[in-house]
Amino acid sequence: MAKIWVVVQQREGQLPRISWEAVAAAQKLAAHLGGRAEALVLGAGIGPAAAELAKASLAAVHVADHEALRAYTPGAYVATLAAAIRAGKPDWVVFPHTYQSVDYVPRLAQEVGAGLLSEVTGFAADPDHPGGLLWNRPILGGKLVSAVRVKGEGTVLVSVQSGVYPADAVAKGEAPLQPLAVDPAEARADREILGYEEVAGEKVDLTKEDFIVAVGRGVGGADKMGPLEELAKVLGAELAASRPVIDNGWLPRDRQIGSSGQTVAPRLYLAAGISGAIQHLVGMKGSAVIVAINKDPGAPIFNVAHYGIVGDLHEVVPALTEAIRAAKG
């Protein structure tokens, strides 16, 4: 029976959506290999986060609650997790793929001599190696997907791309809380934290949204955004955009979806005037339902859309808004 761990990310005692996505991935992996996943959470004063994790179907929630871990530093995290991995010898350790995990997980893999699979988008049984797994991960900026097989024995660290495993898919249950030992002498901060600053003045976290209306170059200009804003209002959605819209200054940069923006997986993603360049698709293809509006029937966005409308968005969007308004009564 394989031993599966998942290391979640928290901030000020709160778990972001991508941490729950990692839990969903670990649960699916454990179900495939047999057994139940265990979760680890690090920080200081993280009782609320640990309590939320304990409501998931997990074998245990290991809590490293220590002042040395209050502010994230790679040295403290690597020291704490390396000691836990050496003692527990898990087969797989799942992480959310974030700027934080990109910072310290490769160093952790080197410290414990573990394999490393970064930014995976799924796994399946390996037909050529009974009991083995084939992992998918994007390469060349998402233009291709590679199938990867792990060689050798021992622990493997895996980071999961945002939007691949829906946070809503986490199986509920009741897990016991267990303290995870922290050695203050080893968990020393290796950098001085001067403060935190939101990048580019972000005002909206699109990763938390269930409904998104995304706008592409086809809208034609900032002065033509009104009908899209009205559609978003009727749907109770947030407005987002592809990179050309952002580069032209029609919407602020925190609204960008794609490889150089945010990666989202809402319940509904409505793309209007977006052609579907691969850099955009990697940021939204995990959405539960994708609706595309484009006057070009050959637009790549239709290859990933569940529903497609071929037509001028300036004619389709107002009609769609009125239809939704009428349906709502």
Side-chain angles (χ1 to χ4, degrees):
M1 183 180 296
K3 180 181 285 190
I4 314 299
W5 286 4
V6 54
V7 179
V8 302
Q9 188 172 313
Q10 61 81 31
R11 186 169 181 184
E12 297 179 354
Q14 300 297 312
L15 297 171
R17 179 193 291 261
I18 194 168
S19 284
W20 290 113
E21 292 176 359
V23 171
Q27 288 180 332
K28 184 172 182 179
L29 180 60
H32 180 84
L33 297 176
R36 297 174 68 199
E38 302 175 43
L40 291 79
V41 57
L42 285 65
I46 53 174
E52 283 300 307
L53 272 176
K55 297 176 184 178
S57 179
L58 297 164
V61 174
H62 303 279
V63 185
D65 195 328
H66 196 282
E67 192 61 33
L69 301 172
R70 181 173 294 279
Y72 161 74
T73 61
Y77 270 50
V78 168
T80 301
L81 290 172
I85 290 171
R86 291 190 184 107
K89 295 181 172 56
D91 296 290
W92 302 90
V93 185
V94 179
F95 300 81
H97 188 77
T98 65
Y99 290 119
Q100 187 179 102
S101 62
V102 167
D103 187 40
Y104 81 89
V105 172
R107 179 171 160 185
L108 174 62
Q110 183 182 38
E111 178 69 22
V112 298
L116 175 62
L117 287 171
S118 63
E119 202 176 3
V120 302
T121 57
F123 67 88
D126 186 343
D128 298 324
H129 293 76
L133 297 172
L134 282 180
W135 295 84
N136 292 331
R137 59 181 306 275
I139 58 174
L140 300 177
K143 292 182 176 65
L144 296 174
V145 175
S146 62
V148 180
R149 178 185 298 123
V150 177
K151 298 176 66 176
E153 303 294 332
T155 299
V156 180
L157 313 184
V158 179
S159 67
V160 179
Q161 187 184 80
S162 173
V164 175
Y165 294 93
D168 294 342
V170 171
K172 302 301 182 182
E174 187 174 343
L177 297 175
Q178 299 178 0
L180 183 65
V182 179
D183 184 349
E186 294 293 329
R188 295 188 301 270
D190 54 352
R191 61 179 66 167
E192 181 182 1
I193 306 299
L194 302 179
Y196 295 95
E197 182 177 334
E198 295 292 341
V199 177
E202 288 186 351
K203 297 180 181 178
V204 60
D205 183 358
L206 295 172
T207 65
K208 298 179 179 178
E209 299 301 324
D210 287 329
F211 304 96
I212 291 176
V213 172
V215 186
R217 194 202 309 266
V219 70
D223 59 330
K224 299 179 181 179
M225 206 73 70
L228 280 303
E229 294 172 347
E230 186 64 23
L231 174 59
K233 182 179 178 181
V234 170
L235 285 171
E238 281 289 349
L239 206 60
S242 60
R243 182 165 181 170
V245 171
I246 304 302
D247 289 346
N248 283 317
W250 301 344
L251 281 175
R253 190 156 297 277
D254 62 302
R255 301 278 175 170
Q256 182 177 336
I257 302 294
S259 58
S260 55
Q262 299 189 53
T263 300
V264 299
R267 291 167 57 192
L268 171 66
Y269 190 90
L270 195 154
I274 294 176
S275 63
I278 187 64
Q279 290 83 359
H280 183 77
L281 297 184
V282 298
M284 47 66 73
K285 62 184 179 182
S287 304
V289 176
I290 301 171
V291 178
I293 304 170
N294 200 293
K295 62 183 179 181
D296 177 10
I301 190 70
F302 289 124
N303 293 330
V304 299
H306 299 93
Y307 302 95
I309 303 173
V310 178
D312 186 336
L313 72 88
H314 296 294
E315 298 176 0
V316 174
V317 168
L320 183 59
T321 301
E322 290 307 313
I324 294 171
R325 187 178 283 119
K328 286 186 171 183

